[in-house]
């Protein structure tokens, strides 16, 4: 009898290691406060909540299973409950919503990292996913060109791809860090790309970056790209371009310096970074397929 019970418990533990877990996390005080309206939500203090979440993650990791963490958004939760006819003031409802997020939301894998590392990673992942969804929606719905009949979103993405290739070719050898900023209709879109030498990265950051740049091109929205290049034994080089008329126009050295050495929030000047050279944007090679201004 004892042996059978022990075997059963052992098999259940083995099976448990093959069941994935998803933890929905209230990342900030505002979201936590919104959940306190529900009687069945057990926590009164966000710090205590985060400590218990971290303890839960460590326990799940110790059991040997695969655990992901996703952002739990109270507004999205309330809307989901209303849409599905689910009682929001019930633990099972929160569990079902978390399962829904596991399939649709931004999530990261828990590998034992502390919450101080996990939280920024999760927020960054959520922002990147929202940016990607916004950009791809714009490109899919912007419509056809009235003059040539081409799909503007597709044409803009193809043009952005070529611009990125030409920019990296102009940058040459080194480790490149690029930031693309586009002022879209509803929000400021940002995309970041890290790559080596002249090849666009093979991971998801390449399409994300290209989609944001393409959104600016398709909407004729103001924007720009800044590039930081690192090479061994030399100062970092900073370059910049302005997105205008579907093209990247090089900034002057003074404009690049002003962009990097001005506080974006207050407008106050910032000290130049030591060991960094502020340079004009590099001219990009001509695009043989460039008919954007003629048709869009």
């Amino acid at each position: 009898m004892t042996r059978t019970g022990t075997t059963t418990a052992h098999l259940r533990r083995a099976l448990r290691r093959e069941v994935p877990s998803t933890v929905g996390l209230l990342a900030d005080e505002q979201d936590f406060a919104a959940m306190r309206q529900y009687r069945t939500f057990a926590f009164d203090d966000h710090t205590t909540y985060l400590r218990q979440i971290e303890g839960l993650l460590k326990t799940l990791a110790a059991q040997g299973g695969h655990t992901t963490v996703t952002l739990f958004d109270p507004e999205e939760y309330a809307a989901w409950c209303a849409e599905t006819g689910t009682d929001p003031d019930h633990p099972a409802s929160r569990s079902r919503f978390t399962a829904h997020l596991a399939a649709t939301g931004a999530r990261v894998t828990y590998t034992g990292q502390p919450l101080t590392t996990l939280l920024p990673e999760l927020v960054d992942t959520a922002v990147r996913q929202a940016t990607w969804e916004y950009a791809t929606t714009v490109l899919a719905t912007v419509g056809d060109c009235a003059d040539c009949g081409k799909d503007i979103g597709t044409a803009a993405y193809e043009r952005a791809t070529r611009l990125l290739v030409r920019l990296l070719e102009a940058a040459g050898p080194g480790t490149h860090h690029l930031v693309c900023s586009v002022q879209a209709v509803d929000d400021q879109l940002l995309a970041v790309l890290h790559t080596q030498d002249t090849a666009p990265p093979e991971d998801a950051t390449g399409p994300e970056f290209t989609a944001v740049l393409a959104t600016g091109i398709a909407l004729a929205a103001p924007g720009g790209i800044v590039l930081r290049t690192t090479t061994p034994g030399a100062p970092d080089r900073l370059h910049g371009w302005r997105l205008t008329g579907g093209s990247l126009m090089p900034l002057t050295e003074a404009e690049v310096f002003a962009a990097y050495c001005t506080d974006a929030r207050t407008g106050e000047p910032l000290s130049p970074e030591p060991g960094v050279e502020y340079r004009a944007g590099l001219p990009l090679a001509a695009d043989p397929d460039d008919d954007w201004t003629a048709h869009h």
Side-chain angles (χ1 to χ4, degrees):
M1 186 73 173
T2 302
R3 183 177 179 182
T4 302
T6 302
T7 302
T8 299
H10 174 76
L11 291 174
R12 286 179 179 172
R13 285 194 298 271
L15 186 60
R16 177 66 186 87
R17 288 194 292 270
E18 300 190 23
V19 177
S21 300
T22 302
V23 176
L25 176 61
L26 297 162
D28 58 42
E29 292 274 5
Q30 184 176 353
D31 287 346
F32 180 83
M35 291 303 294
R36 292 192 61 197
Q37 66 178 299
Y38 301 117
R39 179 185 55 82
T40 58
F41 185 71
F43 294 92
D44 298 320
D45 174 75
H46 190 229
T47 301
T48 301
Y49 164 81
L50 290 178
R51 187 164 57 247
Q52 293 299 320
I53 285 286
E54 189 159 31
L56 172 62
L57 291 173
K58 290 179 179 178
T59 298
L60 291 171
Q63 294 173 352
H66 178 78
T67 302
T68 56
V69 184
T70 185
L71 282 179
F72 194 105
D73 186 322
E75 290 187 5
E76 187 179 347
Y77 172 62
W80 178 84
C81 287
E83 181 180 339
T84 59
T86 304
D87 178 10
D89 198 359
H90 197 285
S93 301
R94 294 191 285 274
S95 178
R96 286 181 57 199
F97 179 66
T98 300
H100 165 74
L101 292 176
T104 62
R107 56 202 177 276
V108 299
T109 300
Y110 178 71
T111 58
Q113 65 269 50
L115 282 187
T116 52
T117 300
L118 179 64
L119 279 172
E121 181 183 1
L122 184 57
V123 171
D124 178 68
T125 300
V127 170
R128 284 178 53 194
Q129 177 169 316
T131 299
W132 169 255
E133 291 175 351
Y134 182 96
T136 52
T137 298
V138 167
L139 296 176
T141 59
V142 69
D144 297 335
C145 175
D147 294 329
C148 68
K150 290 183 178 179
D151 180 87
I152 294 176
T154 300
Y157 192 89
E158 292 172 350
R159 178 167 178 76
T161 300
R162 296 194 301 271
L163 284 172
L164 177 58
V165 169
R166 289 157 57 205
L167 190 154
L168 291 175
E169 288 175 347
T175 300
H176 306 301
H177 173 84
L178 299 93
V179 178
C180 180
S181 173
V182 169
Q183 184 60 56
V185 176
D186 302 317
D187 204 356
Q188 183 86 5
L189 301 182
L190 287 173
V192 177
L193 183 148
H194 299 274
T195 191
Q196 189 74 26
D197 298 328
T198 60
E202 296 180 358
D203 62 15
T205 60
E208 290 170 5
F209 189 94
T210 306
V212 169
L213 178 57
T215 298
I217 295 171
L219 297 178
I225 291 178
V226 291
L227 163 70
R228 182 176 188 135
T229 297
T230 301
T231 54
D236 283 7
R237 304 188 309 274
L238 302 179
H239 302 270
W241 294 261
R242 180 183 295 107
L243 178 62
T244 179
S247 297
L248 290 174
M249 307 303 295
L251 297 177
T252 66
E253 183 177 317
E255 289 173 325
V256 172
F257 183 88
Y260 274 95
C261 299
T262 302
D263 189 305
R265 184 176 59 86
T266 66
E268 294 295 319
L270 300 173
S271 299
E273 188 176 347
V276 172
E277 296 180 350
Y278 299 86
R279 299 186 180 182
L282 301 163
L284 304 185
D287 184 351
D289 297 320
D290 188 4
D291 60 353
W292 183 266
T293 55
H295 292 290
H296 306 288

